Amino acid sequence: MIRDLRLDEEIFKKMIGKQFNKYKCDPFVFTNTVTGIVGLYIGKKVFELKNEQTAFQYFDSIDDVALWNIKEVNDSEIHPVFENTEQIDTSINQNINSITLVNEHQTVNINDQECDLWLTRAIVFHLENCDIYFEKDNTAFSEEIEIKRGHDLLSEFPKRNDYFLDQWIKGIEVSVETEFIKIQHDKQKTH
Protein backbone atom coordinates (compact mmCIF):
# COMPACT_ATOMS: atom_id res chain seq x y z
CA MET A 1 0.00 0.00 0.00
CA ILE A 2 1.35 3.44 -0.96
CA ARG A 3 -0.14 6.69 0.38
CA ASP A 4 1.13 9.94 -1.15
CA LEU A 5 0.48 13.08 0.92
CA ARG A 6 3.18 15.28 -0.60
CA LEU A 7 2.08 18.86 -1.23
CA ASP A 8 1.43 19.68 -4.88
CA GLU A 9 4.47 21.31 -6.54
CA GLU A 10 2.23 23.28 -8.93
CA ILE A 11 0.98 25.65 -6.24
CA PHE A 12 4.58 26.53 -5.33
CA LYS A 13 5.68 27.07 -8.94
CA LYS A 14 3.28 30.03 -9.09
CA MET A 15 5.06 31.64 -6.11
CA ILE A 16 8.53 31.83 -7.68
CA GLY A 17 9.59 35.42 -8.40
CA LYS A 18 6.73 36.84 -6.32
CA GLN A 19 7.18 38.93 -3.20
CA PHE A 20 6.70 37.11 0.09
CA ASN A 21 5.03 39.99 1.90
CA LYS A 22 4.37 38.45 5.32
CA TYR A 23 3.05 35.49 7.22
CA LYS A 24 0.30 35.57 9.84
CA CYS A 25 0.02 33.13 12.75
CA ASP A 26 -0.50 32.80 16.47
CA PRO A 27 2.19 34.51 18.56
CA PHE A 28 5.05 32.30 19.73
CA VAL A 29 4.74 31.43 23.42
CA PHE A 30 7.55 29.08 24.47
CA THR A 31 8.86 27.86 21.12
CA ASN A 32 8.86 28.96 17.48
CA THR A 33 5.85 26.75 16.73
CA VAL A 34 2.21 27.53 16.11
CA THR A 35 -0.82 25.28 16.08
CA GLY A 36 -2.76 24.41 13.00
CA ILE A 37 -2.60 27.35 10.62
CA VAL A 38 -0.29 29.92 9.05
CA GLY A 39 -1.33 32.50 6.47
CA LEU A 40 1.22 33.12 3.71
CA TYR A 41 0.83 36.46 1.88
CA ILE A 42 2.62 36.09 -1.43
CA GLY A 43 2.24 38.58 -4.26
CA LYS A 44 -1.43 39.53 -4.29
CA LYS A 45 -2.59 36.16 -2.97
CA VAL A 46 -3.18 34.61 0.44
CA PHE A 47 -2.44 30.94 1.10
CA GLU A 48 -3.59 28.91 4.06
CA LEU A 49 -0.99 26.42 5.28
CA LYS A 50 -2.85 24.08 7.59
CA ASN A 51 -1.77 21.11 9.72
CA GLU A 52 -5.00 19.57 10.95
CA GLN A 53 -5.93 16.26 12.63
CA THR A 54 -8.04 13.98 10.46
CA ALA A 55 -9.08 10.33 10.79
CA PHE A 56 -6.67 8.59 8.45
CA GLN A 57 -5.48 5.07 7.54
CA TYR A 58 -2.05 5.37 9.16
CA PHE A 59 -0.22 2.15 8.25
CA ASP A 60 -2.02 -0.68 10.08
CA SER A 61 -4.82 1.28 11.80
CA ILE A 62 -7.11 4.29 11.49
CA ASP A 63 -5.81 7.09 13.69
CA ASP A 64 -6.20 10.83 14.11
CA VAL A 65 -3.22 12.07 12.12
CA ALA A 66 -2.32 15.69 11.40
CA LEU A 67 -2.35 16.16 7.63
CA TRP A 68 -1.13 19.25 5.95
CA ASN A 69 -2.61 21.18 3.16
CA ILE A 70 -2.03 24.44 1.33
CA LYS A 71 -4.65 26.33 -0.65
CA GLU A 72 -5.43 29.83 -1.84
CA VAL A 73 -8.00 31.57 0.41
CA ASN A 74 -9.37 34.98 1.33
CA ASP A 75 -7.66 36.90 4.13
CA SER A 76 -10.73 36.43 6.36
CA GLU A 77 -10.14 32.66 6.35
CA ILE A 78 -6.80 33.01 8.18
CA HIS A 79 -7.78 32.78 11.85
CA PRO A 80 -6.47 31.11 15.01
CA VAL A 81 -7.40 27.58 15.98
CA PHE A 82 -7.86 28.62 19.62
CA GLU A 83 -10.39 31.13 20.97
CA ASN A 84 -9.16 34.40 22.48
CA THR A 85 -5.97 34.32 20.43
CA GLU A 86 -4.97 37.27 18.31
CA GLN A 87 -2.71 36.41 15.41
CA ILE A 88 0.33 38.49 14.54
CA ASP A 89 1.83 39.54 11.22
CA THR A 90 5.53 39.00 10.54
CA SER A 91 6.83 41.10 7.64
CA ILE A 92 9.16 39.46 5.14
CA ASN A 93 9.04 41.77 2.06
CA GLN A 94 11.50 39.77 -0.05
CA ASN A 95 11.22 38.09 -3.44
CA ILE A 96 11.10 34.29 -3.59
CA ASN A 97 14.09 33.03 -5.61
CA SER A 98 13.26 29.34 -5.21
CA ILE A 99 11.44 26.90 -2.94
CA THR A 100 12.57 23.49 -1.72
CA LEU A 101 10.02 20.91 -0.63
CA VAL A 102 11.53 18.50 1.89
CA ASN A 103 9.60 15.25 1.48
CA GLU A 104 9.81 12.21 3.71
CA HIS A 105 9.32 8.61 2.58
CA GLN A 106 8.32 6.38 5.50
CA THR A 107 8.20 2.61 5.04
CA VAL A 108 7.01 -0.12 7.39
CA ASN A 109 7.05 -3.85 6.82
CA ILE A 110 4.22 -5.45 8.83
CA ASN A 111 3.72 -9.23 8.43
CA ASP A 112 5.65 -9.19 5.12
CA GLN A 113 3.43 -6.42 3.74
CA GLU A 114 5.27 -3.22 2.89
CA CYS A 115 3.43 0.04 3.55
CA ASP A 116 4.75 3.32 2.15
CA LEU A 117 3.80 6.85 3.15
CA TRP A 118 5.08 9.97 1.40
CA LEU A 119 4.59 13.37 3.01
CA THR A 120 6.02 16.86 2.83
CA ARG A 121 7.97 17.53 6.01
CA ALA A 122 8.98 21.15 5.30
CA ILE A 123 8.69 24.01 2.83
CA VAL A 124 11.85 26.11 2.55
CA PHE A 125 11.51 29.50 0.87
CA HIS A 126 14.85 30.77 -0.47
CA LEU A 127 14.52 34.56 -0.42
CA GLU A 128 16.77 37.44 -1.46
CA ASN A 129 18.93 37.42 1.67
CA CYS A 130 17.67 34.63 3.93
CA ASP A 131 15.65 31.43 4.06
CA ILE A 132 12.43 30.77 5.93
CA TYR A 133 10.87 27.38 6.54
CA PHE A 134 7.61 25.96 7.73
CA GLU A 135 8.02 22.43 9.08
CA LYS A 136 5.36 19.91 10.02
CA ASP A 137 5.97 18.36 13.44
CA ASN A 138 7.18 14.76 13.05
CA THR A 139 4.75 13.45 15.69
CA ALA A 140 1.94 12.06 13.55
CA PHE A 141 -0.96 13.53 15.56
CA SER A 142 0.67 16.92 16.31
CA GLU A 143 -0.82 19.96 14.59
CA GLU A 144 2.26 22.07 15.33
CA ILE A 145 4.09 23.98 12.58
CA GLU A 146 7.65 25.14 13.29
CA ILE A 147 8.71 28.41 11.69
CA LYS A 148 12.36 29.31 11.34
CA ARG A 149 14.20 32.11 9.58
CA GLY A 150 17.94 32.25 8.87
CA HIS A 151 20.66 31.22 6.46
CA ASP A 152 21.33 27.82 4.88
CA LEU A 153 18.32 26.27 6.63
CA LEU A 154 18.27 23.38 4.17
CA SER A 155 21.40 22.06 5.88
CA GLU A 156 19.21 21.10 8.88
CA PHE A 157 17.65 18.29 6.82
CA PRO A 158 17.30 15.37 6.83
CA LYS A 159 16.32 15.29 10.48
CA ARG A 160 16.05 12.00 12.34
CA ASN A 161 12.36 11.18 12.83
CA ASP A 162 12.53 9.47 16.22
CA TYR A 163 8.76 9.55 16.70
CA PHE A 164 8.18 7.45 13.59
CA LEU A 165 11.19 5.16 14.01
CA ASP A 166 10.59 4.41 17.70
CA GLN A 167 6.82 3.81 17.72
CA TRP A 168 6.94 0.24 16.37
CA ILE A 169 7.28 -3.01 18.31
CA LYS A 170 10.49 -4.99 18.00
CA GLY A 171 10.73 -7.00 14.79
CA ILE A 172 8.89 -4.56 12.53
CA GLU A 173 11.20 -3.10 9.90
CA VAL A 174 10.94 0.67 9.41
CA SER A 175 12.87 3.28 7.49
CA VAL A 176 12.73 6.97 6.67
CA GLU A 177 14.32 8.61 3.63
CA THR A 178 14.31 12.26 2.63
CA GLU A 179 13.96 13.78 -0.85
CA PHE A 180 14.51 17.40 -1.80
CA ILE A 181 12.49 18.95 -4.63
CA LYS A 182 13.82 22.35 -5.70
CA ILE A 183 11.32 24.57 -7.49
CA GLN A 184 12.62 27.56 -9.44
CA HIS A 185 12.02 29.39 -12.71
CA ASP A 186 11.70 26.91 -15.63
CA LYS A 187 14.74 28.36 -17.36
CA GLN A 188 16.81 27.33 -14.29
CA LYS A 189 15.21 23.90 -13.85
CA THR A 190 17.23 21.34 -11.86
CA HIS A 191 16.45 17.89 -10.52
Side-chain angles (χ1 to χ4, degrees):
M1 170 177 61
I2 297 177
R3 302 296 301 262
D4 192 344
L5 302 174
R6 289 175 283 193
L7 296 176
D8 187 357
E9 294 173 35
E10 293 304 313
I11 199 164
F12 297 102
K13 288 178 182 176
K14 297 172 188 170
M15 297 176 182
I16 304 301
K18 302 275 189 307
Q19 180 160 336
F20 194 143
N21 302 307
K22 67 178 183 176
Y23 64 88
K24 183 177 181 178
C25 62
D26 296 355
F28 296 154
V29 179
F30 299 109
T31 64
N32 58 328
T33 63
V34 296
T35 302
I37 187 170
V38 177
L40 307 176
Y41 294 73
I42 296 172
K44 295 180 180 178
K45 298 184 178 187
V46 179
F47 298 91
E48 173 191 75
L49 181 63
K50 203 172 211 180
N51 191 27
E52 184 175 42
Q53 271 193 18
T54 306
F56 179 75
Q57 177 72 41
Y58 185 69
F59 296 104
D60 60 343
S61 63
I62 294 185
D63 288 310
D64 285 335
V65 176
L67 303 179
W68 82 336
N69 184 359
I70 186 167
K71 66 180 180 178
E72 188 177 337
V73 297
N74 294 317
D75 179 49
S76 62
E77 295 177 72
I78 305 298
H79 53 79
V81 173
F82 302 112
E83 291 181 18
N84 302 319
T85 300
E86 189 169 326
Q87 291 187 313
I88 59 169
D89 290 342
T90 302
S91 292
I92 303 294
N93 295 321
Q94 292 189 43
N95 286 332
I96 300 170
N97 293 331
S98 63
I99 298 169
T100 301
L101 299 180
V102 181
N103 295 324
E104 196 170 89
H105 181 207
Q106 302 174 350
T107 59
V108 178
N109 191 319
I110 302 170
N111 299 326
D112 292 326
Q113 180 181 359
E114 186 159 303
C115 303
D116 293 70
L117 177 67
W118 282 93
L119 60 94
T120 300
R121 174 66 53 213
I123 306 156
V124 183
F125 290 89
H126 306 285
L127 307 172
E128 293 171 66
N129 62 20
C130 72
D131 291 343
I132 184 167
Y133 75 55
F134 300 88
E135 181 182 5
K136 180 183 183 345
D137 190 308
N138 67 10
T139 304
F141 57 83
S142 173
E143 295 180 323
E144 294 300 295
I145 300 170
E146 180 180 1
I147 303 171
K148 191 167 186 181
R149 212 168 152 174
H151 297 281
D152 195 28
L153 296 182
L154 207 53
S155 67
E156 295 186 15
F157 299 95
K159 295 181 178 179
R160 181 174 160 75
N161 188 337
D162 289 328
Y163 172 81
F164 176 75
L165 293 172
D166 296 343
Q167 72 177 323
W168 305 97
I169 60 173
K170 193 172 187 155
I172 292 182
E173 298 172 35
V174 298
S175 68
V176 176
E177 296 174 355
T178 302
E179 80 169 356
F180 300 90
I181 304 295
K182 187 168 187 178
I183 301 167
Q184 52 194 11
H185 283 294
D186 285 338
K187 63 183 180 187
Q188 305 170 343
K189 195 178 252 183
T190 63
H191 296 283

